[in-house]
Amino acid sequence: MIASGRTPHTVADLMNPSPISVAPETTVEDAMHLMREKRISSVMSQPGNDGQWGIMTQRDVLSRIVAANRSPNSATVGEVASKPLITVPADMTLHECADRMSQSNIRRVAVVDAGGEPIGIISDTDIFASVEHFGLPE
């Protein structure tokens, strides 16, 4: 976005496309390795028997694995992931997205298409960097 000179206004302008997702049966240990390898702070949990998408973040691992003294090689992403997944449409404004994140006390949301399928992810860091660089969109 910076290179184009265009000021971002919507979630689609800033989202990281194609979020990394794993099967809910994936061990937390394997997901942690993937997160470090890809240099990302979360992975999406694909729908399991409950039919719901979820998200496992570094914060989830700290609170639900490390602090709980659970083994990451026996816990699964489906057990640890936060559900239901908080989502926003791609055409939502950055202001509305920031408000949704603040109200839900979360740092990232999944961006979904018209059918409800995740197509990206946007974090508070993405919005912060955009506002720092471009200011608040009108």
Side-chain angles (χ1 to χ4, degrees):
M1 184 60 58
I2 292 172
S4 74
R6 260 187 52 222
T7 302
H9 293 285
T10 67
V11 169
D13 293 334
L14 284 183
M15 74 178 186
N16 295 306
S18 305
I20 304 296
S21 65
V22 297
E25 306 83 34
T26 304
T27 66
V28 170
E29 181 177 47
D30 287 344
M32 290 170 64
H33 292 311
L34 178 63
M35 290 164 68
R36 295 239 328 141
E37 175 187 310
K38 300 285 186 184
R39 297 180 180 195
I40 56 176
S41 59
S42 64
V43 291
M44 306 275 294
S45 174
Q46 298 162 353
N49 294 337
D50 60 6
Q52 293 184 18
W53 282 88
I55 188 167
M56 184 185 82
T57 67
Q58 291 174 335
R59 189 160 103 178
D60 293 327
V61 172
L62 290 177
S63 64
R64 297 177 183 155
I65 298 295
V66 179
N69 201 27
R70 291 179 68 189
S71 172
N73 64 358
S74 62
T76 66
V77 171
E79 295 169 345
V80 175
S82 296
K83 295 178 187 177
L85 186 63
I86 308 283
T87 63
V88 298
D91 62 351
M92 179 178 268
T93 68
L94 297 178
H95 170 77
E96 292 169 324
C97 182
D99 185 52
R100 169 91 43 95
M101 292 165 70
S102 178
Q103 294 296 321
S104 301
N105 193 31
I106 56 175
R107 297 192 60 209
R108 61 193 56 75
V109 293
V111 182
V112 295
D113 62 17
E117 289 297 309
I119 58 170
I121 195 161
I122 186 168
S123 73
D124 59 351
T125 304
D126 299 326
I127 296 172
F128 178 91
S130 174
V131 170
E132 186 274 329
H133 186 80
F134 296 103
L136 283 172
E138 299 289 323

